[in-house]
Amino acid sequence: MNLLSLPAIPGLPAPPTRDLRGKLTATILSIYDLPSPAEPNVTMEVGAGYNNEGPGAFPTDKRTTPAQKSSDFRFTGSSVGEQQSAGRDDPRLSDMYGDSLTFHVSSGRDGADELNLKASLPISSMIVGEARDLILTLRENEEDENDDPADDRTASSSSTWSQRRPSQPVLRPTLRLRLILEGPLRPEISTVLAASRAWFGAVDGVAGALSASFGPSLKGLPPMRKVVSSKYVLVPAVPVAVISAALAPAIVGALVVGLPLFLPLFLVAFAAAMGGTVLFGAVAASTPSGRKQVEKMLAPIVTNVVATNLGQRLVYETGSRVSPVDLAGLVLPRDMLGKLFCSLLIDLVGSCSYLIPIAGEAADLAWAPLQMILVASMYDSKFPNAKYFAFAEEILPFTDVIPTASLCWVREYGPELLDFGMKKLEEMSLVPSSSQ
């Protein structure tokens, strides 16, 4: 996977035009354990509004070739369905994503009544842009799908299938197929990918020009790694270290005495240094070699996030947009100790405005919405009103000292911990003393 040079992130194709239609492709690979050697007829249906029968339907290729065994059929053709206007003028990916996909298999059985089988799955279980190979258990249309799990290929004694074969349980017919769901990206994702391609192209052009201009002259120099690890670095490093050690107490004392004066300057210098570091790191990561290194770290994370239902909503037009609270839920912990650490960190950041009296309260304008989102993501299910209190506590002057997030943690886990402690005390009091 080539993450940062783009093209190829699984699930992240090149940004398409603003065509909101979805495309679903199903390739039938084989059908096993049918009770008849007759050629089966396979149809595909998406929800109640889209099917492959009637005008504007899914076009299907139903060619089959019997295998050596009478119960096996291998399809040499494919069943391909692409969203058309079957009952709706604008078949969007978001409309498809909430529906279910059903395959109907009909086959004659040596003069008996025609056998009608079906298999269904929710389209939301698929990953947009990724091929998925499935084995679906076929059930009779009148049979309750909740009687047996999807991966149970043996018929129960109460099912219609076993009533037709009362001698012994039989293997259920299975449908093997490959599905691919395609659809448009979110406009903001398309914009980010387009901007990234433009930025990487510009960086590659500058890097190529610098390499052509200075590469020959720097070709004979030793690698920086060898220079840093060599003893010649000690020549300038030792005097600098000696002077720094001698002046360190005086510098620390001056900073302590003049803290109110130096703190704003220190914060400005720190912010400038951090901004420069981030800018330098971004440029370094945008070079071809830097993109390869970043790709190794981020590719598994991107793939795993996009594979989730929340990631699909974030990247593709599969439904409603992801809220900031949902995004925070991707990174915030859900366990007791993790939520405690995050709550303490949230309250610590909120109280940092006291480092710069009066002027620090202006920083609350930016932090208050963020604190509200974080508190809502961790505690909204237990305390729906906590997020409003967190926002008011942070936005009002001189109220940052209230540890809202930590109080929510105490409210959620305090009774449980108190009850656990009381039980431990009771157990200790019931233990007889060993002293005689």
Side-chain angles (χ1 to χ4, degrees), residues 18 186-188 310 313-314 317 319-324 326:
R18 294 305 300 153
R186 298 269 184 199
E188 58 272 18
L310 191 63
R313 287 172 50 201
L314 176 66
E317 296 276 3
S320 60
R321 292 182 180 275
V322 177
S323 67
D326 294 331

Side-chain angles (χ1 to χ4, degrees), residues 388-410:
Y388 305 116
F389 185 81
F391 180 81
E393 168 259 311
E394 191 65 27
I395 202 68
L396 294 177
F398 311 113
T399 58
D400 299 343
V401 70
I402 302 176
T404 305
S406 299
L407 291 176
C408 291
W409 185 90
V410 172

Side-chain angles (χ1 to χ4, degrees), residues 166-339:
S167 58
Q168 61 180 359
V170 295
L171 291 177
R172 291 187 181 275
T174 55
L175 174 66
R176 291 159 170 81
L177 70 159
R178 173 169 295 176
L179 293 176
I180 301 178
L181 178 63
E182 300 173 89
L185 296 168
R186 298 269 184 199
E188 58 272 18
I189 299 297
S190 299
T191 302
V192 169
L193 293 180
S196 299
R197 290 185 177 89
W199 168 256
F200 295 151
V203 171
D204 291 346
V206 173
L210 292 177
S211 177
S213 301
F214 300 100
S217 59
L218 299 177
K219 191 173 183 180
L221 297 178
M224 182 61 64
R225 183 178 63 258
K226 293 184 178 180
V227 173
V228 173
S229 61
S230 66
K231 60 183 179 180
Y232 299 105
V233 178
L234 297 177
V235 176
V238 170
V240 172
V242 171
I243 296 174
S244 300
L247 296 180
I251 295 175
V252 172
L255 290 177
V256 171
V257 173
L259 182 61
L261 175 63
F262 291 121
L263 183 58
L265 298 177
F266 173 77
L267 292 178
V268 171
F270 179 77
M274 289 298 297
T277 302
V278 170
L279 180 61
F280 177 80
V283 174
S286 301
T287 60
S289 59
R291 293 201 294 271
K292 292 180 180 179
Q293 297 297 324
V294 176
E295 176 188 348
K296 294 179 181 179
M297 297 183 293
L298 295 185
I301 299 176
V302 172
T303 302
N304 291 335
V305 170
V306 173
T308 63
N309 183 268
L310 191 63
Q312 293 284 284
R313 287 172 50 201
L314 176 66
V315 177
Y316 295 99
E317 296 276 3
T318 58
S320 60
R321 292 182 180 275
V322 177
S323 67
V325 176
D326 294 331
L327 287 177
L330 287 175
V331 296
L332 291 176
R334 296 300 175 187
D335 60 291
M336 182 178 65
L337 294 179
K339 292 175 73 172

